[in-house]
Amino acid sequence: MSAAPEPDLLATQRWLQRALLAQDGPGPEINSLLTGSAALTPRQRFAVLRRNHQRRLAARMRELHPALIQLLGREVFDAFVLDHVKANPARSHRLSRFDAEFVDHLARTRPDAQLPPERRDPTVDMVLDLARFERLYNQVLDGPGREDDLPATELADLPEEDWPSARLGPAPCLRLFRAGFTVHEYLAAVRQGGGQVPPRARPVFLALTRHGLQVRVHELTADAHRVLTSLLRRAPLGEALRDVDRDLARTWLRDWGEHGFLVAAAGDPAPRPRAVAVSESS
Amino acid sequence: MRTGTPTRRRLGTRWLGFGVGLRLPHLDYVRQRWPALGFFEVVTEDFMDSHGARRRALAEIAERYPVVLHGLALSVGGCDRLDYRYLGRLRELADEVRAEWVSDHVGWTGVDGVNTHAVLPMPRTEESLRHLVRRIRTVQDALERPLVLKNTSSAFEFAASTLSEWEFLARMADEADCGLLLDVSNVHVSAVNHDFDPVEYLRALPHHRVVEMHLSGHTHHGTHAVASRDTPISDAVWELYRLAVVLTGGAPTVVEWDDQLPAFPVLLAELDKARRHAATALWAGV
């Protein structure tokens, strides 16, 4: 039994989509599928649609990466977006998903990818750190927040003998990040109209949370970042704080409770095990 | 095919006055100033999948203003199966913000699982019309509210098209019993690109089905025009808008601005112009 003929509409849509997304655009069949105008050939008219599509998509992506645009310039940023569109056509209406794939695409296609890490261009590392940070910032902004959770402000008072068995609840919006450049300072500067000086090279360890409509970025020490990473992986408190000075540990617990990194279940002031937020770091 | 029972003007929707297409960079301004305007139109996909700040901001806005939803991704003209998860979330959002109505575009966004993040044109054929009408009815059943569809601008014409754009829209709206979102700027842009008379276009539409109107800036490139939505509204579009107001008796009107987004007061100034043009048209009949 032969297959049913493809409906004209489906065939037309497949052709148009291919022509829109393909590197080399439409083939000669365009002259029988589209009409020209007094001023433009079918191919020229199609090019208007193609340019418009690329312009719109780049414009939407620009909303997500103000700092990356400041660093790279709009022309280079738009070229990166278009390269991504052609290589990885989106399969979701969610721009956030397309953006996540964009950041991955940048990392995959870095020009020095074949070199060992120590010989790679640090400028590329800076660009990737910034792209990842902006992506994570947007994820925290649009993800679940801690408005309905109670900050675990009493953590510092938790008796030390309970530490070995205590597993703390991280706030749903808590994300950890590490980078080789001061990308958080750069994004803050860009948001205030600055950003003329690029991110500086130094290791940074960050925690991002959201309260209300604000994303808060906290710089941590490397040790604090390590302990929080362990807690996010559901390690018992005693294990995560094993090598940490007790006074310092209590200071951290108090600060982290106040900052909303760790939360107690609503209606229950004691910290309890709960669903874990996904930890993400570079 | 006209239905036997006369359709209520604007499908019985409320008169909301003059509103603005809310863009994300303006969220803070709006929540700090609460500007005086009739309603906000929000891009469905900007909020549908948000679980955080955006959704909370929209909830605050919906407490103070009427809200209508305007989507980009329904793909009602597409050949892939309708996405019922998308429709479910759309309905949830519409219920949450008590959306006065839900709109999207006459067109499609992708096929074979791809999403181009653009609304693409369809050939205006009997096959396309049947396909659209069937899917619009399904969407309306799923949403349990009328769907309002917007005319897009186009840069090219399919050789297979057999219907004029206005004939296609009129039949689609009547046969699917849906609303129309008349983008006056898109009519002007398409008229430039396809050398038709925009007045004939406006006169031929089923005016009682026009639930909302859009106005935005466009760019002329000599050989063609583009709905760039990055400039003030042109005199040619204001002229068409006045005619559209007379023909429809006025419909809630939104000023859209996408690229090179200016400060919010610039949009309010464009909205004031829209109010004046609408008042002039209704008063003088032009």
Side-chain angles (χ1 to χ4, degrees), chain A residues 55-131:
Chain A
R55 185 178 62 82
R56 281 271 160 80
L57 192 53
R60 293 193 68 199
M61 288 290 284
R62 277 184 229 128
E63 289 179 7
L64 302 179
H65 290 285
L68 198 56
I69 291 160
Q70 174 83 7
L71 186 69
L72 297 172
R74 185 170 145 170
E75 200 174 326
V76 173
F77 177 82
D78 286 2
F80 282 168
V81 171
L82 296 185
D83 187 55
H84 171 46
V85 176
K86 288 170 184 167
N88 313 293
R91 303 192 77 80
S92 165
H93 68 270
R94 298 181 193 196
L95 197 63
S96 57
R97 192 167 294 175
F98 184 69
D99 184 44
E101 292 161 357
F102 170 64
V103 174
D104 291 343
H105 178 72
L106 287 179
R108 274 197 309 273
T109 57
R110 62 179 295 161
D112 54 1
Q114 78 289 353
L115 297 175
E118 66 275 11
R119 290 183 55 205
R120 290 179 181 173
D121 183 350
T123 307
V124 180
D125 291 330
M126 178 173 65
V127 169
L128 291 174
D129 274 355
L130 184 58

Side-chain angles (χ1 to χ4, degrees), chain B residues 74-87 134-139:
Chain B
L74 178 59
S75 201
V76 72
C79 287
D80 281 358
R81 284 184 191 170
L82 280 167
D83 184 345
Y84 280 90
R85 284 180 304 175
Y86 175 93
L87 284 174
R134 190 172 61 244
R135 284 166 64 103
I136 293 168
R137 286 185 175 279
T138 304
V139 169

